[in-house]
Amino acid sequence: MRKADVIVGAQWGDEGKGKIVDMLSTNYDMVCRANGGHNAGHTIIVDGVKYALHLMPSGVLHHNIINLIGNGVVVNPDVLITEMAQFDDLKGRLFISDKAHLNLTHHSLIDQAKERAKGEKAIGTTGKGIGPAYSDKVSRTGHRMSELLEPEKLVDDLMADFEANSAILNALKIEVPSRDELLSELTRYKNALAPYITNTTRLLWAALDEDKRVLIEGAQGTLLDIDHGTYPYVTSSNTVSAGACTGLGLSPKEIGDVIGILKAYTTRVGHGAFPTEDLGSDGDRLCDVGREFGTTTGRRRRCGWFDAVAVRYSARLNGLDKFALTKLDVLDGFESIKICKAYQYKGQTIDYFPADLENAVPIYEELPGWQSIAGIKRYDDLPLNARRYIERIEELTGVKVALVSTGADRRDTIIR
């Protein structure tokens, strides 16, 4: 039986997973999403055309690949329907788990209201309802995609939920829809999505039993994991490779290679500790040259230098076999480039990732920069200093770099 390979973000998300999944997926028969919701944004540029995917697996851009949205994803039907409208041939190549939880309008309203109420202590969420949808799931009051097939019953259940939580909804100043409005909305969702809702775990098992090649596409990044990330400034799902098992219905024995997507510098969206953040001109330059604005929110990303301590932690958590290094070209033209190799932490030098990252101060080493890597297709043709930078990342993290992205298009990639 063949095993499923997994792609995960090795930092705080936005590492360029979409491009790498799109490029690698030509070698696979099936691409699966296992976690997150439409807070994920994967931007893929093909022949100069930009595609922004939020819920659909990145394999959808290839007509011969099956795409699964797993049970670990929280699905906003309205967003998914809009995204599906970009494609006219999804029948038979897109499937949505009947056990995936619904993320409805009231979830995003609750998310936004709670963020406003927190004021300066806000987490910095995307406001897309991801947290409230997962909260309902964990508290066993959520609703799943299978329930969408019976909108009359689902609307009754939702109206009962609204009534039971009226005190909270009123306190948050959230106006719930009428029964007729909600029924109309749910019926529209059913009509559009019913043909795609099925038991995706059985489909995945059958694919592996038939020796099909399966790629699992993680959302967000390792350092945003609900258990192992910089809590509470994290997402609401398990973003590490182990989350692919629960998010799709696989055993650990069915996982093959684990590939970490790694940006050549570091970015973060929202609040939370970020030791290597550069608040000066270098950080502004990384943002401007790297076009570091969120696919989902449009928010400016915080930018800084490469953090080898955080990435080494990520590599062990995920059991990474190799890295795909993205956006190396953004570092073109820097006279020198910093790498964080350790932290100063409470009077000591440490080489591990502490739970209270706020107290970690980066210890840098500097490497000489290079002029340009534009258009380079072979590793040996990269400038010497660019190769030394990559090899130093390998030394500090203990993981080899197998792919190097030198531009936004899928063709701008070096395979070692």
Side-chain angles (χ1 to χ4, degrees):
M1 181 183 71
R2 191 181 289 270
K3 296 184 178 183
D5 296 333
V6 182
I7 283 182
V8 295
Q11 295 156 307
W12 275 289
D14 309 309
E15 300 95 349
K17 293 182 292 296
K19 173 190 170 176
I20 301 301
V21 173
D22 169 65
M23 188 194 75
L24 293 180
S25 59
T26 57
N27 300 316
Y28 292 85
D29 303 297
M30 179 180 285
V31 178
C32 310
R33 270 284 303 274
N35 71 292
H38 67 295
N39 56 337
H42 292 173
T43 301
I44 303 167
I45 298 176
V46 182
D47 297 327
V49 179
K50 181 186 289 188
Y51 298 88
L53 303 177
H54 301 279
L55 281 166
M56 299 177 70
S58 298
V60 74
L61 295 175
H62 301 272
H63 298 285
N64 60 334
I65 293 176
I66 302 298
N67 295 269
L68 297 189
I69 297 175
N71 57 273
V73 180
V74 289
V75 178
N76 181 302
D78 201 34
V79 170
L80 181 57
I81 291 167
T82 299
E83 199 167 311
M84 289 168 64
Q86 300 177 88
F87 309 95
D88 56 8
D89 59 343
L90 293 174
K91 292 288 180 64
R93 68 186 194 95
L94 174 66
F95 299 95
I96 309 162
S97 172
D98 52 7
K99 293 184 286 189
H101 274 248
L102 288 164
N103 175 4
L104 299 172
T105 303
H106 66 279
H107 288 121
S108 60
L109 294 176
I110 292 170
D111 201 1
Q112 294 161 22
K114 285 186 173 182
E115 276 287 273
R116 288 193 299 269
K118 290 174 184 175
E120 294 182 357
K121 294 183 178 180
I123 291 174
T125 74
T126 58
K128 303 296 183 182
I130 309 303
Y134 275 115
S135 293
D136 281 357
K137 175 180 178 177
V138 173
S139 63
R140 295 165 294 181
T141 57
H143 300 280
R144 306 202 287 188
M145 290 298 295
S146 59
E147 297 175 63
L148 202 57
L149 303 179
E150 298 182 65
E152 287 276 0
K153 182 179 184 304
L154 179 55
V155 75
D156 288 339
D157 292 340
L158 285 168
M159 296 307 292
D161 291 345
F162 295 153
E163 179 63 29
N165 293 282
S166 59
I168 297 173
L169 295 172
N170 290 335
L172 293 173
K173 299 180 180 179
I174 293 173
E175 185 177 343
V176 301
S178 68
R179 187 186 188 283
D180 288 344
E181 289 172 333
L182 189 55
L183 179 59
S184 175
E185 182 180 0
L186 296 176
T187 301
R188 177 169 66 87
Y189 295 161
K190 174 193 173 181
N191 292 339
L193 299 177
Y196 304 94
I197 298 171
T198 190
N199 186 325
T200 53
T201 299
R202 291 186 67 237
L203 287 178
L204 180 54
W205 288 353
L208 293 175
D209 288 345
E210 293 166 10
D211 209 32
K212 300 291 187 183
R213 298 162 299 177
V214 175
L215 182 65
I216 301 170
E217 175 184 17
Q220 287 86 44
T222 295
L223 303 180
L224 293 174
D225 185 271
I226 186 66
D227 287 302
H228 301 288
T230 49
Y231 191 89
Y233 302 101
V234 293
T235 193
S236 298
S237 62
N238 286 114
T239 58
V240 295
S241 57
C245 295
T246 55
L248 287 162
L250 293 176
S251 77
K253 294 179 180 179
E254 292 172 301
I255 299 299
D257 283 346
V258 183
I259 305 162
I261 312 302
L262 188 64
K263 194 177 286 186
Y265 48 100
T266 310
T267 62
R268 179 163 197 177
V269 172
H271 304 303
F274 183 177
T276 64
E277 182 174 14
D278 190 296
L279 298 175
S281 58
D282 285 342
D284 289 339
R285 177 176 171 180
L286 290 170
C287 181
D288 294 338
V289 176
R291 298 182 181 88
E292 295 294 352
F293 298 91
T295 303
T296 300
T297 64
R299 287 186 295 181
R300 186 186 193 276
R301 295 178 185 134
R302 299 157 63 191
C303 296
W305 300 107
F306 187 87
D307 189 336
V309 182
V311 172
R312 187 164 57 243
Y313 169 72
S314 175
R316 182 63 185 267
L317 276 176
N318 289 296
L320 295 182
D321 295 292
K322 63 190 79 169
F323 282 133
L325 185 69
T326 67
K327 291 199 169 185
L328 185 65
D329 55 305
V330 175
L331 297 177
D332 285 356
F334 276 95
E335 185 174 334
S336 64
I337 299 167
K338 296 179 182 178
I339 293 182
C340 170
K341 61 180 180 180
Y343 297 141
Q344 191 71 26
Y345 178 75
K346 296 182 178 180
Q348 295 183 324
T349 298
I350 63 171
D351 61 359
Y352 62 88
F353 195 78
D356 58 332
L357 192 63
E358 293 83 1
N359 291 310
V361 178
I363 297 173
Y364 289 116
E365 64 178 62
E366 293 196 34
L367 282 72
W370 57 87
Q371 285 307 304
S372 176
I373 61 171
I376 293 177
K377 305 295 184 184
R378 296 177 64 252
Y379 183 77
D380 289 342
D381 293 337
L382 287 172
L384 176 62
N385 287 344
R387 282 181 276 135
R388 284 177 172 168
Y389 181 71
I390 293 169
E391 288 153 16
R392 185 58 176 148
I393 288 174
E394 292 177 329
E395 290 170 0
L396 289 170
T397 63
V399 179
K400 290 293 183 180
V401 174
L403 297 169
V404 181
S405 174
T406 59
D409 196 273
R410 65 160 63 135
R411 293 169 296 188
D412 298 331
T413 308
I414 295 170
I415 300 175
R416 294 178 73 186

